[in-house]
Amino acid sequence: MSAIRIDGNVLAEKVRGRIATDVAALKARGITPGLAVILLGDSPASQVYVRNKVAACGKVGMHSVLHKLPAETTETELLALINSLNVDPTIHGILVQLPLPKHIHEKQVLEAVAANKDVDGFHAENVGALMIGEPRFVSCTPAGCMEMLKDIGMADLRGKHAVVVGRSNIVGKPMAMLLLHANATVTICHSGTADLAAMCRQADILVAAVGKPRFITADMVKPGAVVIDVGINRLPESEGGKLVGDVDFGAVNEVAGYLTPVPGGVGPMTITMLLQNTLTAANRQ
Ligand code: GUN
């Protein structure tokens, strides 16, 4: 039997409807939630992501500004822009698209964003708040994954074993923390994990965030498990050039109980959580 598909587009539409209603209510009080997006350089993938983020703001009635800067922009110039946005009353959320060019210190830049405008949840203050179980702004992709679990009736994960493959600051680590707060028993696997397949097979909830196309194969999945695919990988032209996740969808579909597709799974939920965080930021400010 095939897995039940968790449709990110359908869920995103539902949540964005609620966000649009809340945005309208704020606007009636004279406040339009505003998001500033900063992109350095011309990476085609990043350009698509920021375009989608800006377009999503418009659709729920939010104000957004895209600052597209050349890859050669200096760190000083970037920090000056961030500082000006930090004190701009029309901007409630600031997002610096990653990855940044090599000459820029990512940590310095992420820490320069005012914590109360850090809608990406990357500032150490927000990461720390999540760690102690008092989340303020949570990284959008893991937050979106949790919404997907809630939507299939898995808000409380007591007694469940969740395995996260990948330990990035953007996804793996905050994801593990959110799963823990939902009472799951959590394992984080990474490139140094011995017998990864055996670890993954223990998972009632398997989150793949490794950035390797079709890395999670059917033999790594417990029958009936919930599999959440965070990967977005472009295959080389010689292999068709299409977008695939970190999960071998066709084969895992025959083993898993629930599965998120790529595209149309976690991606739309990431953007939805960005909108949610921007709305929250506007409400707080
Ligand atoms: N690059 C890949 N994912 C993200 C994200 O969630 N936020 C930002 N700012 N950059 C990213």
Side-chain angles (χ1 to χ4, degrees):
M1 215 174 67
S2 298
I4 297 170
R5 195 168 297 203
I6 310 177
D7 191 323
N9 283 321
V10 170
L11 180 57
E13 208 49 49
K14 196 163 82 180
V15 180
R16 287 182 204 193
R18 283 203 296 266
I19 293 172
T21 305
D22 291 352
V23 169
L26 257 186
K27 278 171 131 173
R29 290 168 41 206
I31 302 159
T32 302
L35 174 71
V37 178
I38 304 174
L39 172 65
L40 263 66
D42 51 9
S43 144
S46 290
Q47 293 201 51
V48 172
Y49 295 147
V50 300
R51 208 183 304 136
N52 289 344
K53 288 170 184 176
V54 168
C57 283
K59 285 197 186 137
V60 295
M62 287 183 187
H63 162 64
S64 65
V65 187
L66 173 58
H67 294 270
K68 252 182 111 185
L69 307 174
E72 306 76 44
T73 303
T74 65
E75 192 168 307
T76 307
E77 288 166 333
L78 177 57
L79 292 175
L81 172 60
I82 292 171
N83 287 334
S84 71
L85 295 169
N86 281 343
V87 294
D88 182 339
T90 68
I91 294 299
H92 305 95
I94 303 169
L95 178 148
V96 184
Q97 186 64 26
L98 303 179
L100 286 164
K102 293 236 177 330
H103 66 280
I104 307 263
H105 295 94
E106 184 180 292
K107 184 171 169 290
Q108 253 103 308
V109 169
L110 298 182
E111 293 302 299
V113 174
N116 67 339
K117 293 192 177 185
D118 170 37
V119 287
D120 251 331
F122 293 167
H123 192 289
E125 211 174 285
N126 288 317
V127 174
L130 172 63
M131 189 83 170
I132 61 169
E134 291 175 14
R136 295 176 201 161
F137 290 114
V138 176
S139 180
C140 301
T141 298
C145 294
M146 294 308 289
E147 286 299 312
M148 294 177 118
L149 287 174
K150 266 190 227 158
D151 192 55
I152 59 165
M154 297 186 76
D156 190 344
L157 303 176
R158 199 172 298 267
K160 306 281 187 206
H161 186 184
V163 175
V164 179
V165 189
R167 56 175 156 179
S168 69
N169 290 334
I170 295 184
V171 183
K173 286 185 216 170
M175 186 77 230
M177 211 43 63
L178 290 171
L179 290 161
L180 184 64
H181 294 328
N183 300 313
T185 301
V186 182
T187 303
I188 306 177
C189 297
H190 47 81
S191 50
T193 300
D195 202 351
L196 179 67
M199 298 299 289
C200 291
R201 270 196 302 275
Q202 291 182 29
D204 301 302
I205 296 134
L206 181 62
V207 181
V210 270
K212 291 184 185 162
R214 297 171 177 153
F215 182 77
I216 303 291
T217 46
D219 62 301
M220 299 166 86
V221 176
K222 182 202 269 193
V226 178
V227 180
I228 299 191
D229 190 350
V230 175
I232 303 177
N233 311 289
R234 171 90 48 202
L235 290 179
E237 284 306 323
S238 57
E239 292 173 46
K242 66 173 189 163
L243 281 184
V244 298
D246 290 349
V247 173
D248 183 0
F249 187 91
V252 170
N253 193 34
E254 300 306 312
V255 183
Y258 288 89
L259 179 56
T260 66
V262 177
V266 173
M269 286 309 295
T270 295
I271 297 182
T272 303
M273 293 300 105
L274 174 66
L275 300 175
Q276 177 66 62
N277 282 349
T278 305
L279 173 65
T280 302
N283 269 314
R284 286 183 191 152
Q285 286 163 45

